[in-house]
Amino acid sequence: MKQLPKAIRDLQGDLWVPAELADLLERVLRDSRALEDSEHRQCLRELENLMGFSDRRDLPTAREQLGLPDARRDRLASNLLKA
């Protein structure tokens, strides 16, 4: 396995991601749409390790972080308002 540089947190807590690691992240995320096998899971685990995410379990969902609306919750709220 190729040795890649790890992501580095600066004093403000921001994450510096080396170009090679950013490229890997982009590729893995792109591939995750089409691939669900043990090799893919191994790549995701290694990516988590390189990014230092393995101990961060209290993060909000990606949808929440991106500020995307929850379609199911919005439909429920709409239906409740109609009633």
Side-chain angles (χ1 to χ4, degrees):
M1 183 182 296
K2 182 178 176 182
Q3 187 69 26
L4 293 174
K6 291 189 175 192
I8 300 169
R9 290 210 181 270
D10 65 13
L11 295 175
Q12 289 80 29
D14 295 329
L15 190 63
W16 180 80
V17 179
E20 287 179 287
L21 191 52
D23 291 344
L24 173 63
L25 176 60
E26 182 178 354
R27 183 80 248 174
V28 169
L29 293 174
R30 189 180 301 162
D31 289 348
S32 68
R33 296 182 194 127
L35 191 60
E36 280 295 330
D37 61 15
S38 62
E39 180 181 344
H40 184 248
R41 285 189 293 274
Q42 180 182 3
C43 289
L44 288 174
R45 279 193 303 272
E46 184 61 26
L47 178 60
E48 286 178 344
N49 181 43
L50 289 169
M51 296 292 289
F53 292 158
S54 60
D55 61 342
R56 300 185 68 198
R57 304 215 188 280
D58 60 340
L59 292 173
T61 65
R63 179 174 292 285
E64 292 169 339
Q65 290 183 44
L66 294 170
L68 298 174
D70 184 346
R72 187 173 46 179
R73 188 181 65 201
D74 290 347
R75 278 193 309 272
L76 178 61
S78 175
N79 290 339
L80 289 172
L81 288 174
K82 289 177 185 177

